[in-house]
Amino acid sequence: MPALPFISNMRGYRPEWFRLDVTSGLAIAAVGLPSAIAYPALAGLPPEIGIYASIIAVLGYALLGSSRQLVVGPDAGTMTVLAAVLASYGLASTSEAVVASAATAAIVGLLCFLASFLRLGFIANLLSRPILTGFMTGISLSILIGQIGRFTGVKIESDGLFAPIAEIISKVGQIHWPSLILGLALFLLLRLLGRWRPSIPGPLVAVVLATVLSYLFDFKAMGIRVVGTIPSELPWPSIPLPNGVPITDLVVGAVAVLIVSFGSGIVTARSFGAKNKYPVDANRELLGFGGANLASGLFGGFAVTASDSRTAVNDMMGGKTQLAAVVSAIALILTVLFLTEALAILPTPALGAVLASAAISLMDFKTLRELWKVSRIEFLFALISIAGAVGFGVLKGVIVAVCATLLYILMKGMQPRDAQLGRIPGREGFYKLHRYEQAKPVPGMVIYLLQGSLLFFNVEHVRSSIENIFATLAPGTRTFIFDAGAVSYIDSTASVMLDDIRDLAAERGMGFAIVELHSEPLEMLERTGVVARVGEAMIFDDLEAAVKALSSTPNAPA
């Protein structure tokens, strides 16, 4: 993979692609503009910051990203985590929040580069699909509740899921009804367009319609809040240095943002990769996301990730290369230079409608229903993630989601599958006795198969299973064979357990053999002395060879 994929891709550029890339780029800008203006509000940032991020980040990804069609940009989930991170800094003003968000984005970019260098692409799996689905649903509920103030014009001071609802009920007399009617009407329009005309960019329609109505009826004079002045200038690069925020806090906040943004972003990348039949290298994508976030941070933006909506538009319009993203950036630059006066009169309830509709779209109830049907335990972990994001706040919810993932992995590994093997008359090979009624044990032998790594946290479970086998041995059993063909790793605690099983077999006058050890487990057993005590004559590369050799030895060495 070349250092600069964009240059490599452009070397084979075809003239007929140019029209597709230009039209795709304009469509990406049209769809991305509403979210670029609306999403910064989630973190208390001015709207122009979202436009800056949408311009600079796509250029950073275009230069280093491996995907030809992926488009990065603001994301509701990432912005909600960023909002929690900024709140934890205890900043006193919006200008300080702008610098801190830029610093966080830059650090996220540097962490992505470091993770790519260390081949840590597996961090994309820290949030499994069920847990990521639950976490995003929890975030969506938080976003949805957070729009109450924008819809009603009432300042909401409560946090959480139910307290803001109770507060707005107690302040019903303060509701600005024209704002509520406008917000609900635009929200309904967005939902209807999304259901009946998904090819039409609903957020763009809502923003344009709301801006036109604001101009015609002077919404500001009616008491409906508007976005206000947006600077018609582009940012210059600078190193963001927030005052009063320790670097350790910035790094911890950036890690939280990175886990969620890359976790959700790589899902988008892999989804479109599968759809269009090209591989996605998580470590390579870390470089692309690193370039996007570092560029965004240095130019006063915030952390970004892969954008589902922008990438979908690019895919639908037939964009061929990252030139489409570059065109979208140019279109947004022209917007900043020439259309900020129109954006200044955009009513705030329209932003609330865009965010609320995006939150509804993030709630993946279809996946939750599927989880309920296919795996109740995974459904439970999805609920844990929802509860973590809603009950503990978004930032702590990240920790809850990651811990839930690790707990799930631990639970699955604590009870690895095992089986006893035997033969089926007239057939070659070995078969699991519990699955095949016609399979019979090999006379004089127990063949025990373990499927999974043998580690300290599952040693007692495996030991108990083997001891139960010894307790019910058939008369005349001379040899116990441990089939390690499906064991990828054995740690020192497990080595001691295997030595104990060897002793247990010896006490019963039985031989103990190990077959099909992979290189790493073999090295561990050699270092701990288990191989020497078992005896090289009882270590076999092949189960068939072991059964043949031990069957011809009436008294196998114990």
Side-chain angles (χ1 to χ4, degrees):
M1 183 71 70
L4 296 177
F6 180 78
I7 296 176
S8 175
N9 292 338
M10 294 306 293
R11 287 174 182 162
Y13 197 83
R14 300 178 184 176
E16 60 267 25
W17 290 355
F18 183 73
R19 178 183 61 82
L20 294 172
D21 280 342
V22 170
T23 54
S24 296
L26 295 175
I28 292 168
V31 170
L33 181 61
S35 60
I37 299 171
Y39 285 179
L42 292 172
L45 300 172
E48 65 268 18
I49 304 301
I51 302 179
Y52 298 160
S54 298
I55 293 172
I56 303 301
V58 297
L59 298 178
Y61 181 87
L63 193 63
L64 296 178
S66 59
S67 173
R68 289 173 175 260
Q69 65 177 166
L70 192 73
V71 182
V72 298
D75 168 74
T78 300
M79 287 305 301
T80 307
V81 176
L82 177 61
V85 168
L86 295 179
S88 71
Y89 294 158
L91 303 169
S93 66
T94 300
S95 60
E96 291 180 353
V98 169
V99 176
S101 70
T104 302
I107 295 174
V108 168
L110 294 175
L111 289 175
C112 284
F113 288 145
L114 178 62
S116 178
F117 175 75
L118 296 176
R119 310 294 295 174
L120 299 180
F122 67 86
I123 64 174
N125 301 320
L126 283 179
L127 295 178
S128 65
R129 178 172 173 264
I131 289 174
L132 184 61
T133 299
F135 182 71
M136 287 301 179
T137 300
I139 282 181
S140 300
L141 290 171
S142 299
I143 294 173
L144 198 58
I145 295 300
Q147 305 318 305
I148 292 176
R150 294 188 179 89
F151 273 95
T152 63
V154 177
K155 184 177 181 180
I156 301 297
E157 299 177 352
S158 304
D159 295 321
L161 184 61
F162 301 108
I165 297 175
E167 182 177 349
I168 192 61
I169 292 175
S170 68
K171 295 180 177 179
V172 67
Q174 301 177 27
I175 292 177
H176 189 257
W177 293 101
S179 296
L180 181 59
I181 292 171
L182 175 64
L184 291 177
L186 291 173
F187 175 76
L188 181 62
L189 174 64
L190 286 166
R191 301 314 300 168
L192 292 177
L193 285 176
R195 173 171 293 186
W196 294 337
R197 293 290 187 271
S199 60
I200 297 176
L204 180 64
V205 172
V207 166
V208 171
L209 177 60
T211 303
V212 171
L213 292 176
S214 180
Y215 174 78
L216 293 176
F217 298 102
D218 195 1
F219 281 169
K220 186 176 181 180
M222 294 172 58
I224 298 176
R225 296 175 184 171
V226 296
V227 169
T229 303
I230 296 178
S232 57
E233 59 185 20
L234 297 172
W236 289 95
S238 62
I239 298 176
L241 298 172
N243 294 323
V245 183
I247 185 64
T248 52
D249 290 355
L250 287 171
V251 172
V252 170
V255 169
V257 173
L258 171 61
I259 290 173
V260 174
S261 64
F262 187 59
S264 60
I266 199 66
V267 169
T268 299
R270 286 171 173 167
S271 297
F272 282 93
K275 178 179 182 293
N276 294 289
K277 297 180 174 56
Y278 59 81
V280 172
D281 183 349
N283 289 302
R284 187 70 214 187
E285 284 303 298
L286 277 168
L287 282 182
F289 289 154
N293 281 286
L294 181 59
S296 180
L298 294 179
F299 282 84
F302 48 68
V304 298
T305 185
S307 170
D308 291 348
S309 58
R310 300 182 194 201
T311 306
V313 166
N314 192 25
D315 181 59
M316 181 179 65
M317 298 295 294
K320 297 298 183 182
T321 70
Q322 283 294 324
L323 181 61
V326 175
V327 171
S328 75
I330 294 172
L332 290 177
I333 289 173
L334 296 176
T335 300
V336 170
L337 295 178
F338 301 109
L339 295 178
T340 52
E341 290 186 9
L343 295 177
I345 62 173
L346 175 65
T348 300
L351 300 184
V354 170
L355 291 171
S357 181
I360 294 293
S361 299
L362 280 176
M363 296 180 186
D364 194 350
F365 294 114
K366 178 181 178 181
T367 297
L368 291 174
R369 285 195 299 270
E370 290 175 353
L371 288 175
W372 173 257
K373 293 179 181 177
V374 303
S375 176
R376 298 294 169 85
I377 185 65
E378 292 190 72
F379 179 79
L380 174 61
F381 277 100
L383 292 184
I384 291 173
S385 295
I386 293 174
V390 173
F392 298 103
V394 174
L395 196 54
K396 292 181 180 177
V398 176
I399 299 174
V400 171
V402 172
C403 289
T405 297
L406 297 178
L407 178 60
Y408 175 69
I409 294 171
L410 187 62
M411 288 178 60
K412 296 298 289 184
M414 285 184 70
Q415 297 184 345
R417 293 185 177 183
D418 58 3
Q420 293 186 58
L421 303 181
R423 290 192 185 278
I424 296 178
R427 295 191 192 179
E428 295 183 356
F430 298 89
Y431 300 84
K432 295 178 181 179
L433 299 181
H434 70 277
R435 290 188 60 183
Y436 299 90
E437 293 183 1
Q438 62 271 44
K440 304 298 179 184
V442 176
M445 293 183 182
V446 170
I447 304 174
Y448 176 78
L449 170 70
L450 183 69
Q451 296 175 292
S453 293
L454 193 51
L455 302 167
F456 66 94
F457 55 80
N458 61 24
V459 158
E460 291 307 314
H461 173 79
V462 175
R463 183 199 299 270
S464 178
S465 297
I466 295 176
E467 287 176 347
N468 288 336
I469 293 173
F470 275 109
T472 57
L473 284 174
T477 302
R478 305 184 308 275
T479 308
F480 184 96
I481 299 178
F482 180 76
D483 185 347
V487 178
S488 58
Y489 189 77
I490 294 176
D491 67 6
S492 59
T493 305
S495 299
V496 173
M497 187 274 291
L498 288 176
D499 211 14
D500 292 343
I501 297 301
R502 180 191 64 82
D503 290 338
L504 190 62
E507 290 173 4
R508 287 164 170 72
M510 296 170 54
F512 179 76
I514 305 177
V515 303
E516 299 189 10
L517 275 167
H518 296 289
S519 59
E520 195 169 350
L522 176 59
E523 290 174 4
M524 173 60 73
L525 295 183
E526 286 176 341
R527 289 197 299 269
T528 55
V530 174
V531 168
R533 288 188 288 276
V534 170
E536 292 189 5
M538 298 295 282
I539 305 294
F540 297 89
D541 292 332
D542 179 71
L543 178 57
E544 191 74 55
V547 170
K548 183 178 180 180
L550 297 174
S551 295
S552 63
T553 307
N555 296 309

